[in-house]
Every structure is written in structure tokens, then in C-alpha cells.
Amino acid sequence: MSTAIDRFDDKTRGAFGQIGQTEVYEGELLRHRVYTRFLHWMVALFFFLALFTGFGIYMPWLFRWFTPIFGGGPLSREMHPWFGLGFVIFFGLQALNWIKPMTWTAADTKWMVNLRKIIGGQEKMEPPDTGFFNGGQKMQFWEIASGCIVYLITGMILWFGARVFGRWAVAVSYVLHDISALIMLGGIFIHIYLSTIGQSGTFQAMIRGAVSEAWAWTFHPAWYKQVTGRDPVGACEEARRKASAK
Amino acid sequence: MSDRKTLQIKQISGHSGPAAGFDMQRDYEVCKLIDTTICIGCKACEVACVEWNDMPFTPTTFDNTYQTMPSTSYHFWNLIKFNEHQREDGTVQWLMRKDQCMHCADPGCLRACPADGAIVQYTNGIVDFQQENCIGCEFCVSGCPYDIPKFNPATKKVYKCTLCSDRVGQGLEPACIKACPTGCLKFGSKDDMKFIAEERAKQLRENFGFEKAGVYDPQSIGGTHVVYVLHDAENPERYGGLPKNPVIPWSYTVWKWLFKPVLGTFALFGLLGVLLHYVTVGPRRAQPEPPIKERES
Ligand code: SF4
Ligand code: SF4
Ligand code: SF4
């Protein structure tokens, strides 16, 4: 099973690599390939389409000014499950693509314990055992993965309705669907913040696919060590010496 | 309450005689009484409903019973449900029940509906759907214990019996009441209908040998503005699936009125949190950053 997934992923990565390209300049490292970036933005697109059409169903009175963008309440309601399906399918592909780097390790548990210091800004560099993804990213990944399962099950129940699944199934699904959406919405603010203004140099990883080496040794030292074979702390100190010598 | 009469029709152009319904003041809470023990299944009420509400002709679906179709639909709000019930002694009882919206005192449809103004309950007890505000989410379907609201795929909105709110507002009776030839349908105040229904049930128990005869006005949803007289009030399910103790899923009340707004605000805290972080702590930079010149704290 997992080898089949690997083969599928390798083939599509190759195919997408031919359609698009990733240019890695001097002093940079390849972060995300074309296939990963494509999937990420498809997930993002469908996420926001589903989110915005969902607003008009969650609280019609609050979003009455907003729903006309999607052709009004009934049309929002009609399109919402299709957008949601797109979101789940593309995230599913991304999950296959990322299942290995997203596997939870002891370093991630340590990272979570350390979270306060990182949020408070006391720790400038990530802990040395932080790999390709850190604990927070993995948390969000698995939150969205479980959220997708909740969406899919409760969404189908809501879509086909009380006459197929019974009144109680719908009444309970409605609540679970909403809770899942609220958790994901709260998480997405953090995700967008940290990938744009909250952590400079991150956004280009999902746009061009490449990041600076300094970004890599600061935020993902273990990954930096793995791809370059150099010690992240040493590399950082060397860069600091060079900068002050100038 | 004289103000409620101001919109009643007094004169009609080209109409001989007094305006129908003029000076008829409906009581505060209206009620339709359906005596299933007198109904002959003639379906005049079905036709009257289709006619008055201007609904298109619907082909009937034959399923080896006398029923017009398996269930009510978005353009067929009133359906006589037939059931052949075999009694213990082997004899067969032919049960007929006029199925339509029950106009519940505590309407599950209204509890479940998230759309502002899509469902209203009038002071006279009628529960009415306002299609211009409906978003077609069909939550009302799961809120209703009687499987009444029906989705129209063309308009993407939900429809059901209005208890002829347009007629009742003008002092008239609903169309089905007017059409019924047997008098098994009656319309008036809830108190009057309950009184007549109880008297009839008593008569059935004492004079006709239906010991379990009674009135269907379920208190689990605060009663309904459509009440039935049944030969066997202990087994309402026999009458085309009338629930004995209709319930509204509690999740609607709890979730909609409490957690939805509260938790929605929590999700926005995510936005507030990151903004505060940006302002107070500031972004993280790739190291080494330029040496810090000054730190205010
Ligand atoms: S019978 Fe159903 S649709 Fe009619 S008022 Fe009650 S809950 Fe609403
Ligand atoms: S479908 Fe039902 S619950 Fe949804 S908005 Fe329309 S009336 Fe309300
Ligand atoms: S018109 Fe009256 S007698 Fe005829 S089917 Fe309707 S309720 Fe029964």
C-alpha cells in the first residue's frame, strides 16, 4: 500500500516538475516542489470557497450582505458541499504526499513543550532537532486531516439529509460540522500569520518553492543539517561573523 | 383586538352579497380538528388544497393502496394516508389520516432553521415558511417530527402547508375545511376544538366500543394546532406513522442559541491572537538578524 502511494507520488511529482519549475538560487534550498505547491493552493482555494459559502449557512443573518457574492443563500448552500468535496479530495492527495514528513516524533512532543518560549520570542532559533516540519505544523496537519474526516462523514449526512440518515444523525452532524469548521478557522489565522508577516521568508516556500539557507537553519535546523550536511548553529555563527566583519 | 381586523375585506368589486369572512373574528389560537373516525378518504381536501394554493397537477403514484402518493411533497401539502390495520381478532380496520403540517406550539422546524425570517409563528398558532428568506439548507426537515417540510429542487427552497394563513387572516376557514363533505374537519379556536374532540372521543369510548379512543395533541411539543380524534389514541403510529411522543433534537436549541455565537467569537480570537502577537512580540526572523540596538520593555 505505502509503496504504491510512493510510486504514485513520485510519478505525479515528476509530471508536475515537468509542467512547472522551481528555481533554487545560490544560498537557497529547495523547500516545496511544484506538485506540493499545486496541491497546497488547490486546498487553499477550495477551503476558502467552502468557508465563504459556509458563512451564509452558519449565520444567514450575519452574512446577508456577503452571500450575494455566491449568488445568494440557496446557491451558496447548493455549492458548499461541492467545494467541500474539492477541499477534502485535494487535502487527501496532499496527505499522501506528506504522510512521511508529517509523522509525529519525540522531537515534536519536545517542541510542543517548548511552545511558550517560541511564542514569547525568547527563543530565536528553533530547537536543533526540528526537522522538515515542526510540531506546530504537524499539529495543524493532523487537525485538518481529522477535520476532513469529520467534514466528510457529517457533510454527507447533511447533504443527503434527514430522509436518508434520520433526523438525529442530521441534528448531531450539524453541530460536529460547525465545531470542526470553527477549530479549522481559528487555526487558519495562525497558519496564514506564520506563513506571511509572522515569520519572514516563509511565504516564498509555497510560491517559488525555495527558501534561504538562513531561514532553513533558523526554523528547521535538523532539516538543514540533513540536506546540506552542515551544522546549523555553526553556519549561523559563521554568517554572524561575516556580517559583523563587513 | 380591533387592530387585527383592519386588514379584513369589507367590500369586493363586482361581488354580490357581503364579502366572505367579513366581521369574522378568529379566536386568539386557531385549531383544525380532524376526526379520523368519520373521514371517508374522499380526498376532496387534497384537491381543495392544490386548488387554493395554485399548485400544478401532480400525477399520482400507485402503490397498491388508495393513497395518492407515498408522502406529501413541495407541491402537495395535504395527503390522506391509508393503512389497513389487522386487529387481534382478525378483522381489518381501515385507517385514514389527513397528513399535513401540525402547526406545533413548539415547532421543531423553526427551532432548527438558521435563516433569519424563513419561518415564522403567528400569534394565532400558524407556522408559516417565508420562502424569500429560506436558504434551502433543509435543517427544518430534521427538526420536524412529522416529516413535513419538502424541498423544491427548482427554487431550492422548502414548502409546506400554511394552514391557509392567507384565508384565516381574512376570517375564512382553510380550504380543506371548506371542501370536506363529511364534517370530519372542523376549524375554530383551540379551546373549542379540544372540547369537541374530547366529547367525540368520549362518545366513541362509551357508545361505540372504541375503548382506547382519544385525542392526539402531543404535549411533548406543547400541543399542536391540528388535533386528531383517533379510534386508538394509544397507537398513533398506526395512522401512517404519527409519532406518539414527538421530540425536537436538543442539539438545535443548545447549539443554535448558545454555542454558535459564543464559539464563533472564539474562532475570531484566533485572528485577534495573531494580531496581538505581531504587535507585542513581533515577527520571527531568520538568524542572524542585525544586532539589536535598543530594547524597550
Ligand atoms: S409539523 Fe413540522 S413543519 Fe409543521 S410546525 Fe410542526 S415542526 Fe414545523
Ligand atoms: S430550508 Fe428550512 S431550515 Fe433551511 S432556511 Fe429554509 S426554512 Fe429554514
Ligand atoms: S375531505 Fe374530509 S372526508 Fe374527504 S378525505 Fe379529506 S378529511 Fe377525509
Side-chain angles (χ1 to χ4, degrees):
Chain A
M1 173 69 191
S2 76
T3 46
I5 291 170
D6 280 349
R7 242 182 290 136
F8 165 77
D9 278 342
D10 278 343
K11 256 170 99 177
T12 37
R13 276 185 207 122
F16 273 87
Q18 276 165 5
I19 298 168
Q21 57 187 19
T22 313
E23 277 165 354
V24 183
Y25 297 112
E26 190 65 44
E28 284 188 340
L29 295 174
L30 170 68
R31 177 77 178 159
H32 296 302
R33 292 154 177 271
V34 182
Y35 179 53
T36 309
R37 271 137 60 200
F38 167 76
L39 286 181
H40 175 271
W41 291 111
M42 290 312 273
V43 171
L45 175 73
F46 280 103
F47 174 82
F48 281 107
L49 287 174
L51 180 73
F52 291 152
T53 47
F55 279 164
I57 307 170
Y58 186 71
M59 275 193 178
W61 62 270
L62 191 59
F63 293 100
R64 186 164 280 189
W65 56 276
F66 185 80
T67 37
I69 297 172
F70 288 93
L75 207 54
S76 296
R77 164 65 182 81
E78 191 79 1
M79 293 190 296
H80 178 79
W82 293 104
F83 292 150
L85 209 56
F87 170 68
V88 170
I89 289 171
F90 280 110
F91 187 81
L93 288 173
Q94 186 71 290
L96 296 183
N97 183 25
W98 269 351
I99 193 105
K100 269 196 201 132
M102 284 295 184
T103 313
W104 194 264
T105 63
D108 301 315
T109 314
K110 254 172 65 197
W111 190 93
M112 292 308 294
V113 176
N114 206 26
L115 189 59
R116 274 184 81 94
K117 279 194 189 151
I118 291 171
I119 293 177
Q122 288 101 322
E123 209 126 290
K124 295 281 179 189
M125 301 263 281
E126 290 271 340
D129 50 4
T130 306
F132 191 84
F133 289 123
N134 65 36
Q137 289 171 300
K138 290 184 188 178
M139 274 268 284
Q140 176 143 55
F141 174 84
W142 290 109
E143 190 282 308
I144 296 176
S146 38
C148 275
I149 295 169
V150 173
Y151 279 157
L152 196 64
I153 296 170
T154 59
M156 287 292 168
I157 292 171
L158 293 172
W159 203 359
F160 294 103
R163 286 194 188 95
V164 178
F165 289 101
R167 297 171 62 212
W168 279 90
V170 170
V172 173
S173 297
Y174 167 59
V175 177
L176 295 179
H177 205 83
D178 282 2
I179 291 177
S180 183
L182 288 171
I183 294 175
M184 225 176 263
L185 179 62
I188 220 69
F189 290 124
I190 301 169
H191 175 67
I192 294 175
Y193 171 64
L194 285 179
S195 55
T196 55
I197 57 171
Q199 189 173 297
S200 23
T202 307
F203 195 53
Q204 65 184 58
M206 263 310 162
I207 296 290
R208 286 175 37 224
V211 289
S212 73
E213 285 195 22
W215 184 92
W217 70 52
T218 310
F219 300 123
H220 300 276
W223 172 62
Y224 175 80
K225 190 167 184 183
Q226 189 196 328
V227 288
T228 63
R230 284 158 51 205
D231 171 43
V233 181
C236 180
E237 286 312 316
E238 201 187 316
R240 200 189 301 281
R241 270 198 303 278
K242 269 189 197 159
S244 51
K246 252 188 255 169
Chain B
M1 282 217 226
S2 57
D3 55 326
R4 290 211 291 142
K5 285 169 76 177
T6 50
L7 279 176
Q8 290 209 337
I9 294 170
K10 188 173 167 190
Q11 293 183 62
I12 302 173
S13 62
H15 180 89
S16 56
F22 176 65
D23 221 18
M24 292 271 293
Q25 182 64 42
R26 287 288 165 206
D27 279 77
Y28 192 72
E29 268 192 68
V30 295
C31 182
K32 166 156 69 183
L33 166 60
I34 301 169
D35 188 346
T36 60
T37 64
I38 306 178
C39 176
I40 54 169
C42 69
K43 302 173 183 173
C45 50
E46 288 184 2
V47 178
C49 176
V50 166
E51 286 221 318
W52 175 258
N53 293 298
D54 233 352
M55 290 185 289
F57 168 76
T58 318
T60 59
T61 327
F62 181 64
D63 62 348
N64 287 314
T65 73
Y66 278 80
Q67 218 162 293
T68 312
M69 54 182 76
S71 66
T72 55
S73 85
Y74 66 87
H75 53 16
F76 205 89
W77 299 339
N78 175 20
L79 179 75
I80 304 296
K81 288 208 163 176
F82 290 85
N83 181 31
E84 284 171 37
H85 167 62
Q86 188 155 17
R87 283 184 278 213
E88 268 125 52
D89 59 5
T91 56
V92 169
Q93 199 181 7
W94 205 13
L95 304 176
M96 295 154 212
R97 178 178 66 90
K98 182 181 174 301
D99 184 35
Q100 79 285 282
C101 174
M102 300 292 286
H103 298 275
C104 317
D106 186 5
C109 55
L110 192 146
R111 291 270 162 278
C113 177
D116 190 14
I119 304 178
V120 297
Q121 184 180 39
Y122 300 117
T123 45
N124 68 6
I126 296 180
V127 178
D128 222 353
F129 283 24
Q130 310 288 310
Q131 276 79 19
E132 64 267 36
N133 295 326
C134 171
I135 61 167
C137 60
E138 293 186 74
F139 286 137
C140 50
V141 176
S142 65
C144 173
Y146 299 95
D147 192 22
I148 290 302
K150 295 282 153 71
F151 184 69
N152 177 348
T155 61
K156 309 206 187 311
K157 287 161 191 261
V158 165
Y159 300 81
K160 70 156 188 73
C161 155
T162 64
L163 201 68
C164 287
S165 54
D166 46 353
R167 292 175 59 89
V168 173
Q170 292 298 331
L172 302 177
E173 70 280 72
C176 53
I177 312 284
K178 182 140 181 157
C180 182
T182 64
C184 83
L185 299 184
K186 293 180 181 62
F187 188 73
S189 75
K190 174 102 191 215
D191 291 342
D192 288 353
M193 293 304 113
K194 269 305 273 287
F195 176 77
I196 297 173
E198 292 293 357
E199 286 295 300
R200 170 67 182 159
K202 198 166 133 218
Q203 189 183 39
L204 284 166
R205 282 193 301 267
E206 288 171 4
N207 305 347
F208 294 91
F210 291 105
E211 288 118 26
K212 295 186 203 158
V215 181
Y216 184 81
D217 180 27
Q219 292 310 306
S220 57
I221 47 172
T224 48
H225 292 95
V226 171
V227 300
Y228 291 105
V229 173
L230 305 175
H231 323 75
D232 182 359
E234 280 167 30
N235 295 294
E237 290 88 358
R238 278 180 198 157
Y239 295 78
L242 203 56
K244 192 166 188 175
N245 280 308
V247 285
I248 306 169
W250 50 266
S251 59
Y252 282 128
T253 323
V254 178
W255 181 246
K256 238 178 76 186
W257 300 117
L258 184 65
F259 289 114
K260 232 171 144 169
V262 172
L263 292 182
T265 320
F266 274 156
L268 285 182
F269 282 163
L271 180 62
L272 204 66
V274 294
L275 283 178
L276 271 178
H277 185 267
Y278 191 62
V279 173
T280 58
V281 179
R284 307 171 69 200
R285 284 173 221 285
Q287 300 297 315
E289 47 190 4
I292 293 165
K293 202 173 110 199
E294 206 180 315
R295 189 195 293 267
E296 172 255 20
S297 58

